[in-house]
Amino acid sequence: MQGTLKSNPITFSFLTLTTISKRQEQTEREMGIGKTTPLEDVIEKAGGCAVVDGGFATQLEIHGADINDPLWSALCLIKDPHLIKLVHEEYLEAGADILVTSSYQATIPGFVSRGLSFEEGESLLRRSVKLAVEARNSFWESIKDTPGHAYNRALVAASIGSYGAYLADGSEYSGCYGSNVGLDKLKDFHRRRLQVLVEAGPDLLAFETIPNKLEAQACIELLEEEKVKIPSWICFSSVDGENAPSGESFKECLNIINKCDKVKAVGINCAPPQFIEALILTLNKLTDKAIVVYPNSGEVWDGRDKKWLPSKCFNHHKFECYAKRWRDAGAKLIGGCCRTTPSTVQAISRALKEKF
């Protein structure tokens, strides 16, 4: 006959510890302890460095969209939503692990200034997420059962552009908002857009081209006040390769961000690619959060005259080469910003997913 638990203390002890362990694991899951976020999961599935998509407005223009407008690429949410979905599909095909929505310059005040109602503005914000989610879902359904494919099920990051992006005067590259723009005004500006985008169901939030410490603080306080549960990243730009556009050091900016558990990654977008490696090394010394970088092509945007100025650019081959260096320097998410294309992202994906 088999011994009872009482007559076998070793078995009893083992089963008791197992039960306690399972209860502890259940408690930790309920409390969120030890639970990874979708962002952390996709980084792991991508082999330690995930691919972000590339320039949106550039690709829309390639498809014939006219976005010479204060709303910029967000104008297509009104006029050409099918082109937005097409661009998302092209980046998925190129190997993007994360799609960034077309809401960078989509704001309720911006839509209202064009004669739309408050409710119509909210609807367009939701549409930006819906288009990306639909593109992701249909693409994944089409390839998930294909033997040997190298794709991951992409995440959708709802883009929240800076206050300067709404102003459309280039101030996201200077951080000079004026003395009348304080913390409360920035929070009031961002609040409803953040609420609507979160309700639309993205996997994460992407605060982009933040130019100064004040706006970073506004973003963080909003995440806490609104009890946002999905992960976020905050990206600054840089015009000198050393500081935020405002001239504030990244140490000052990251001291605020490091205190917020809701922000899972921090980094740089829409800065010249030649700055990126040094900036990754700098950020790695200042934070334990994942580093995300998606530079522009190297061309310079004139925010006042609304045109790109000639400059030494990175081509797709350079992005392929440098993506490896940025990964080795410590970046966990790499993509492209203005003037990059699906070909750029394909080159990055090829480099990062290359088998060693």
Side-chain angles (χ1 to χ4, degrees), residues 53-341:
D53 64 9
F56 213 86
T58 301
Q59 197 65 10
L60 287 171
E61 289 180 314
I62 288 172
H63 290 300
D66 181 6
I67 55 175
N68 185 18
D69 187 276
L71 289 178
W72 201 33
S73 58
L75 184 64
C76 287
L77 287 168
I78 303 171
K79 296 174 60 177
D80 300 299
H82 65 287
L83 292 184
I84 290 175
K85 195 168 181 180
L86 173 62
V87 172
H88 284 319
E89 290 166 350
E90 289 174 329
Y91 278 117
L92 290 165
E93 189 72 40
D97 297 310
I98 297 176
L99 291 179
V100 181
T101 65
S102 53
S103 52
Y104 173 78
Q105 208 136 336
T107 67
I108 295 171
F111 289 132
V112 169
S113 71
R114 295 296 302 272
L116 283 81
S117 69
F118 194 90
E119 292 74 16
E120 287 171 328
E122 291 185 342
S123 178
L124 289 169
L125 285 172
R126 294 187 189 95
R127 178 181 288 177
S128 71
V129 175
K130 182 173 182 285
L131 290 168
V133 169
E134 286 177 350
R136 184 271 309 278
N137 290 350
S138 61
F139 179 79
W140 184 245
E141 283 299 315
S142 71
I143 59 91
K144 68 177 184 178
D145 296 325
T146 304
H149 76 80
Y151 294 103
N152 294 306
R153 185 176 185 275
L155 300 182
V156 170
S159 172
I160 299 177
S162 64
Y163 180 66
Y166 156 69
L167 296 176
D169 61 359
S171 56
E172 68 263 51
Y173 301 108
S174 70
C176 298
Y177 289 163
S179 58
N180 66 324
V181 179
L183 182 64
D184 288 340
K185 182 168 184 175
L186 289 171
K187 286 165 66 175
D188 289 343
F189 169 75
H190 283 298
R191 189 181 302 276
R192 185 54 188 156
R193 174 167 58 159
L194 180 144
Q195 291 171 340
V196 172
L197 288 172
V198 169
E199 290 164 3
D203 300 297
L204 63 147
L205 298 176
F207 295 94
E208 303 188 284
T209 58
I210 301 301
N212 54 37
K213 181 175 70 174
L214 183 68
E215 192 159 14
Q217 183 178 348
C219 297
I220 287 166
E221 290 191 13
L222 278 176
L223 290 173
E224 297 290 353
E225 290 170 13
E226 297 299 323
K227 298 180 173 57
V228 174
K229 291 184 170 59
I230 59 175
S232 302
W233 77 51
I234 293 180
C235 279
F236 297 86
S237 187
S238 181
V239 294
D240 63 4
E242 296 180 4
N243 303 290
S246 60
E248 295 163 312
S249 71
F250 284 118
K251 185 176 188 300
E252 293 178 76
C253 297
L254 266 66
N255 280 344
I256 297 171
I257 295 173
N258 285 336
K259 298 172 184 176
C260 181
D261 290 337
K262 295 180 182 296
V263 178
K264 298 300 181 182
V266 65
I268 306 293
N269 77 290
C270 213
Q274 58 266 30
F275 292 168
I276 297 302
E277 187 170 359
L279 285 168
I280 293 169
L281 295 172
T282 296
L283 295 178
N284 260 330
K285 295 175 184 176
L286 301 174
T287 187
D288 292 328
K289 298 183 186 296
I291 305 298
V292 50
V293 293
Y294 44 116
N296 57 40
S297 69
E299 293 170 82
V300 179
W301 175 247
D302 184 332
R304 294 196 178 276
D305 290 339
K306 304 290 188 297
K307 64 180 181 180
W308 290 99
L309 302 177
S311 181
K312 186 177 181 180
C313 301
F314 266 38
N315 58 28
H316 308 324
H317 298 298
K318 275 198 170 184
F319 265 95
E320 184 169 0
C321 173
Y322 275 80
K324 296 178 183 179
R325 291 176 57 167
W326 298 337
R327 176 198 59 201
D328 294 344
K332 297 295 184 184
L333 299 127
I334 298 174
C337 202
C338 294
R339 309 293 276 184
T340 62
T341 67

